Amino acid sequence: MNSADGTPAALLEVRDLTASYGPFKAVFGVSFSVPGGRATALLGPNGAGKTTVARAISGLISPERGHIWFNGTDIAGQRAYRIARLGIAHATEGRSVFASLTVEENLSLAFRRNAKRAALAAKLASAYDLFPRLGERRSQLAGTLSGGEQRMLSLARVLVDPPKLLVVDELSLGLAPVIVSEVYEKLALIKTQGTTLLIIEQYVEQALKIADDAVVMNRGEVVYAGPPTTADELASHFLIGS
Ligand code: ATP
């Protein structure tokens, strides 16, 4: 992580990361960089270890070994709330909503942390603009929303109030294709506004539309890091010899 050769220092540097679930090693010796202001697609087949890497970055699991440098600080093993305060948000595969609160209460809780009262109304309006369905259901309890609507609600919180680094895990899961395209447009927009993106995605084609760099994992290891060529070419890195 140096800029001595004139290249911009990466915002996130994962170095020699090893993480396990009990006796099972899910990722080992994973290293890659995510340059600031760009979008990196983290790709690979089911079980490759992509989500495990994302969890280690956002502090949901503690790695066994290795470093995760974010903006010059090694965040490996730090608590999730501290990592969030440094400016990393992780939109997980799941639907992390408060089931017993309404849509609007869920959004207000997320936005109030950073917003003054006047700004809160503007942020709510942006969320409803992004996902009109949420506006229609603003008074409904989040626990009674459909799976796709809960996913919209958890995404709205991070898309309207973008962090320094946004880690998005399987964004398209549970969303209709037309909504996936809209969310990708929003991701492209927040990238131009300075948010760095790490996108884990099963719809590789969609992710490659906005990716500046690609990292491919297979069986817990990085098998390719470089330009996002084509989906077929990238898939060949784990299909050959697997
Ligand atoms: P997918 O796209 O299917 O989510 P992935 O590339 O994100 O795949 P991970 O979810 O990181 O892969 O899983 C890597 C390995 O770790 C898999 O073999 C998986 O079974 C295992 N694993 C993941 N989560 C757990 C867990 N909570 N407990 C035990 N093993 C786990």
Side-chain angles (χ1 to χ4, degrees):
M1 187 163 176
N2 69 74
S3 51
D5 62 357
T7 55
L11 181 68
L12 183 83
E13 289 263 353
V14 175
R15 283 289 159 258
D16 205 20
L17 182 75
T18 294
S20 305
Y21 298 101
F24 176 73
K25 262 194 181 32
V27 300
F28 30 98
V30 163
S31 298
F32 65 91
S33 308
V34 177
R38 289 162 71 90
T40 299
L42 179 57
L43 309 168
N46 284 342
K50 309 177 299 291
T51 295
T52 302
V53 169
R55 286 181 186 142
I57 292 170
S58 61
L60 296 179
I61 59 168
S62 202
E64 211 173 298
R65 196 155 57 79
H67 303 278
I68 303 171
W69 296 97
F70 177 66
N71 235 351
T73 304
D74 190 358
I75 57 168
Q78 286 201 18
R79 307 285 286 274
Y81 75 92
R82 283 183 184 270
I83 293 175
R85 270 196 212 145
L86 293 175
I88 297 181
H90 180 185
T92 56
E93 282 177 283
R95 311 160 193 147
S96 45
V97 301
F98 294 105
S100 59
L101 299 182
T102 65
V103 167
E104 185 137 323
E105 286 165 345
N106 266 278
L107 291 172
S108 300
L109 260 183
F111 300 151
R112 205 165 271 150
R113 267 182 290 127
N114 305 325
K116 298 211 165 66
R117 190 167 278 276
L120 179 63
K123 284 176 188 282
L124 287 171
S126 305
Y128 299 146
D129 192 36
L130 180 63
F131 295 116
R133 186 86 64 91
L134 294 181
E136 290 161 19
R137 299 179 190 282
R138 68 186 74 192
S139 306
Q140 192 170 323
L141 293 183
T144 65
L145 295 172
S146 74
E149 289 161 354
Q150 290 188 23
R151 186 85 181 116
M152 289 178 203
L153 180 53
S154 54
L155 280 170
R157 297 184 306 199
V158 286
L159 291 174
V160 170
D161 217 353
K164 285 198 187 91
L165 172 70
L166 176 57
V167 182
V168 205
D169 200 347
E170 303 286 11
L171 174 151
S172 48
L173 214 65
L175 292 182
V178 57
I179 296 184
V180 171
S181 298
E182 279 172 28
V183 174
Y184 265 95
E185 279 170 27
K186 180 71 182 171
L187 285 180
L189 179 69
I190 64 174
K191 187 179 87 167
T192 64
Q193 293 167 346
T195 290
T196 302
L197 302 168
L198 179 62
I199 302 169
I200 299 168
E201 182 58 279
Q202 55 175 331
Y203 286 175
V204 175
E205 303 279 1
Q206 189 69 263
L208 292 184
K209 281 186 198 155
I210 69 162
D212 302 294
D213 307 284
V215 175
V216 181
M217 289 185 66
N218 192 25
R219 297 179 177 174
E221 294 181 287
V222 171
V223 291
Y224 172 83
T229 49
T230 63
D232 285 348
E233 216 275 316
L234 292 168
S236 73
H237 293 288
F238 57 79
L239 292 177
I240 294 169
S242 63

Short mmCIF file of all heavy atoms in Angstrom, two decimals, residues 21 24-27 44-53 55 93 169-170 200, ligand 1:
data_model
loop_
_atom_site.label_atom_id
_atom_site.label_comp_id
_atom_site.label_asym_id
_atom_site.label_seq_id
_atom_site.Cartn_x
_atom_site.Cartn_y
_atom_site.Cartn_z
N TYR A 21 -14.68 -21.40 9.82
CA TYR A 21 -15.88 -21.62 10.64
C TYR A 21 -15.58 -22.89 11.43
O TYR A 21 -15.58 -23.99 10.86
CB TYR A 21 -17.11 -21.82 9.75
CG TYR A 21 -17.42 -20.60 8.90
CD1 TYR A 21 -17.07 -20.56 7.55
CD2 TYR A 21 -18.04 -19.48 9.45
CE1 TYR A 21 -17.35 -19.45 6.77
CE2 TYR A 21 -18.32 -18.37 8.67
CZ TYR A 21 -17.97 -18.36 7.34
OH TYR A 21 -18.24 -17.25 6.56
N PHE A 24 -13.39 -25.72 9.88
CA PHE A 24 -13.41 -25.62 8.41
C PHE A 24 -12.82 -24.30 7.93
O PHE A 24 -13.34 -23.22 8.25
CB PHE A 24 -14.86 -25.76 7.91
CG PHE A 24 -14.99 -25.58 6.44
CD1 PHE A 24 -14.54 -26.56 5.57
CD2 PHE A 24 -15.53 -24.42 5.92
CE1 PHE A 24 -14.64 -26.38 4.20
CE2 PHE A 24 -15.63 -24.23 4.54
CZ PHE A 24 -15.18 -25.23 3.68
N LYS A 25 -11.74 -24.40 7.16
CA LYS A 25 -11.11 -23.19 6.60
C LYS A 25 -11.87 -22.78 5.35
O LYS A 25 -11.88 -23.51 4.36
CB LYS A 25 -9.66 -23.50 6.21
CG LYS A 25 -8.65 -23.09 7.24
CD LYS A 25 -7.24 -23.11 6.64
CE LYS A 25 -6.16 -22.72 7.63
NZ LYS A 25 -6.34 -23.04 9.01
N ALA A 26 -12.51 -21.62 5.41
CA ALA A 26 -13.33 -21.18 4.26
C ALA A 26 -12.51 -20.39 3.26
O ALA A 26 -12.72 -20.49 2.06
CB ALA A 26 -14.51 -20.36 4.75
N VAL A 27 -11.56 -19.56 3.74
CA VAL A 27 -10.66 -18.83 2.83
C VAL A 27 -9.24 -18.89 3.39
O VAL A 27 -9.05 -18.85 4.61
CB VAL A 27 -11.09 -17.35 2.61
CG1 VAL A 27 -12.47 -17.26 2.01
CG2 VAL A 27 -11.00 -16.52 3.85
N GLY A 44 -17.04 -15.54 -8.40
CA GLY A 44 -16.63 -16.92 -8.16
C GLY A 44 -17.85 -17.79 -7.94
O GLY A 44 -18.94 -17.28 -7.67
N PRO A 45 -17.68 -19.10 -8.04
CA PRO A 45 -18.82 -20.01 -7.91
C PRO A 45 -19.33 -20.08 -6.47
O PRO A 45 -18.68 -19.56 -5.55
CB PRO A 45 -18.25 -21.35 -8.36
CG PRO A 45 -16.79 -21.25 -8.08
CD PRO A 45 -16.42 -19.81 -8.27
N ASN A 46 -20.45 -20.75 -6.27
CA ASN A 46 -20.99 -20.95 -4.92
C ASN A 46 -19.94 -21.60 -4.03
O ASN A 46 -19.27 -22.54 -4.45
CB ASN A 46 -22.21 -21.88 -4.95
CG ASN A 46 -23.43 -21.15 -5.47
OD1 ASN A 46 -23.47 -19.93 -5.49
ND2 ASN A 46 -24.42 -21.91 -5.91
N GLY A 47 -19.82 -21.08 -2.82
CA GLY A 47 -18.91 -21.70 -1.86
C GLY A 47 -17.46 -21.28 -2.04
O GLY A 47 -16.57 -21.79 -1.34
N ALA A 48 -17.18 -20.34 -2.95
CA ALA A 48 -15.79 -19.93 -3.21
C ALA A 48 -15.17 -19.18 -2.04
O ALA A 48 -13.95 -19.13 -1.90
CB ALA A 48 -15.74 -19.07 -4.46
N GLY A 49 -16.02 -18.57 -1.20
CA GLY A 49 -15.52 -17.83 -0.05
C GLY A 49 -15.74 -16.33 -0.13
O GLY A 49 -15.26 -15.56 0.70
N LYS A 50 -16.53 -15.88 -1.11
CA LYS A 50 -16.75 -14.45 -1.32
C LYS A 50 -17.44 -13.80 -0.12
O LYS A 50 -17.02 -12.76 0.38
CB LYS A 50 -17.59 -14.20 -2.59
CG LYS A 50 -17.07 -14.93 -3.82
CD LYS A 50 -17.95 -14.75 -5.02
CE LYS A 50 -19.37 -15.26 -4.89
NZ LYS A 50 -19.52 -16.73 -4.82
N THR A 51 -18.51 -14.44 0.35
CA THR A 51 -19.25 -13.88 1.49
C THR A 51 -18.39 -13.88 2.74
O THR A 51 -18.46 -12.94 3.56
CB THR A 51 -20.55 -14.68 1.70
OG1 THR A 51 -21.38 -14.50 0.55
CG2 THR A 51 -21.31 -14.22 2.94
N THR A 52 -17.57 -14.89 2.89
CA THR A 52 -16.69 -14.96 4.06
C THR A 52 -15.72 -13.78 4.06
O THR A 52 -15.50 -13.13 5.10
CB THR A 52 -15.92 -16.30 4.05
OG1 THR A 52 -16.88 -17.37 4.04
CG2 THR A 52 -15.01 -16.43 5.25
N VAL A 53 -15.18 -13.44 2.89
CA VAL A 53 -14.29 -12.28 2.78
C VAL A 53 -15.06 -11.01 3.14
O VAL A 53 -14.58 -10.17 3.92
CB VAL A 53 -13.70 -12.18 1.35
CG1 VAL A 53 -12.99 -10.85 1.14
CG2 VAL A 53 -12.74 -13.34 1.09
N ARG A 55 -17.67 -10.72 5.04
CA ARG A 55 -17.93 -10.71 6.50
C ARG A 55 -16.70 -10.30 7.29
O ARG A 55 -16.82 -9.58 8.29
CB ARG A 55 -18.35 -12.11 6.95
CG ARG A 55 -19.76 -12.49 6.55
CD ARG A 55 -20.07 -13.89 7.08
NE ARG A 55 -21.35 -14.35 6.59
CZ ARG A 55 -21.61 -15.60 6.23
NH1 ARG A 55 -20.68 -16.54 6.34
NH2 ARG A 55 -22.79 -15.94 5.81
N GLU A 93 -26.36 -10.44 2.18
CA GLU A 93 -27.28 -11.25 1.36
C GLU A 93 -28.65 -11.28 2.01
O GLU A 93 -29.66 -11.34 1.35
CB GLU A 93 -26.80 -12.69 1.32
CG GLU A 93 -25.67 -12.98 0.39
CD GLU A 93 -25.26 -14.44 0.51
OE1 GLU A 93 -24.58 -14.78 1.49
OE2 GLU A 93 -25.61 -15.22 -0.37
N ASP A 169 -23.43 -7.62 -1.13
CA ASP A 169 -23.40 -9.07 -1.32
C ASP A 169 -24.69 -9.53 -1.99
O ASP A 169 -25.77 -9.38 -1.43
CB ASP A 169 -23.21 -9.76 0.04
CG ASP A 169 -22.70 -11.18 -0.12
OD1 ASP A 169 -22.72 -11.70 -1.25
OD2 ASP A 169 -22.27 -11.77 0.88
N GLU A 170 -24.56 -10.08 -3.19
CA GLU A 170 -25.70 -10.64 -3.93
C GLU A 170 -26.88 -9.67 -3.97
O GLU A 170 -27.98 -9.98 -3.52
CB GLU A 170 -26.15 -11.97 -3.31
CG GLU A 170 -25.08 -13.03 -3.24
CD GLU A 170 -24.73 -13.66 -4.59
OE1 GLU A 170 -25.19 -13.13 -5.62
OE2 GLU A 170 -23.99 -14.64 -4.59
N ILE A 200 -20.25 -8.21 -4.81
CA ILE A 200 -20.29 -9.67 -4.93
C ILE A 200 -21.61 -9.98 -5.62
O ILE A 200 -22.67 -9.55 -5.16
CB ILE A 200 -20.27 -10.32 -3.54
CG1 ILE A 200 -18.99 -9.93 -2.82
CG2 ILE A 200 -20.43 -11.83 -3.64
CD1 ILE A 200 -18.99 -10.28 -1.36
P1 ATP B 1 -22.28 -18.27 -2.16
O1 ATP B 1 -22.30 -17.48 -3.41
O2 ATP B 1 -22.90 -19.64 -2.31
O3 ATP B 1 -22.76 -17.54 -0.93
P2 ATP B 1 -19.56 -17.74 -1.37
O4 ATP B 1 -18.48 -17.66 -2.39
O5 ATP B 1 -20.08 -16.47 -0.83
O6 ATP B 1 -20.73 -18.63 -1.92
P3 ATP B 1 -19.11 -18.46 1.35
O7 ATP B 1 -20.54 -18.21 1.73
O8 ATP B 1 -18.08 -17.52 1.82
O9 ATP B 1 -18.97 -18.63 -0.22
O10 ATP B 1 -18.73 -19.92 1.83
C1 ATP B 1 -17.41 -20.45 1.75
C2 ATP B 1 -17.42 -21.79 2.44
O11 ATP B 1 -17.65 -21.59 3.85
C3 ATP B 1 -18.50 -22.72 1.95
O12 ATP B 1 -17.97 -24.02 1.86
C4 ATP B 1 -19.58 -22.64 3.01
O13 ATP B 1 -20.26 -23.87 3.12
C5 ATP B 1 -18.76 -22.34 4.26
N1 ATP B 1 -19.54 -21.54 5.21
C6 ATP B 1 -20.08 -20.32 4.97
N2 ATP B 1 -20.72 -19.85 6.07
C7 ATP B 1 -20.56 -20.80 7.03
C8 ATP B 1 -20.99 -20.92 8.39
N3 ATP B 1 -21.67 -19.93 8.99
N4 ATP B 1 -20.65 -22.05 9.04
C9 ATP B 1 -19.94 -23.03 8.45
N5 ATP B 1 -19.49 -22.98 7.18
C10 ATP B 1 -19.80 -21.88 6.47
#
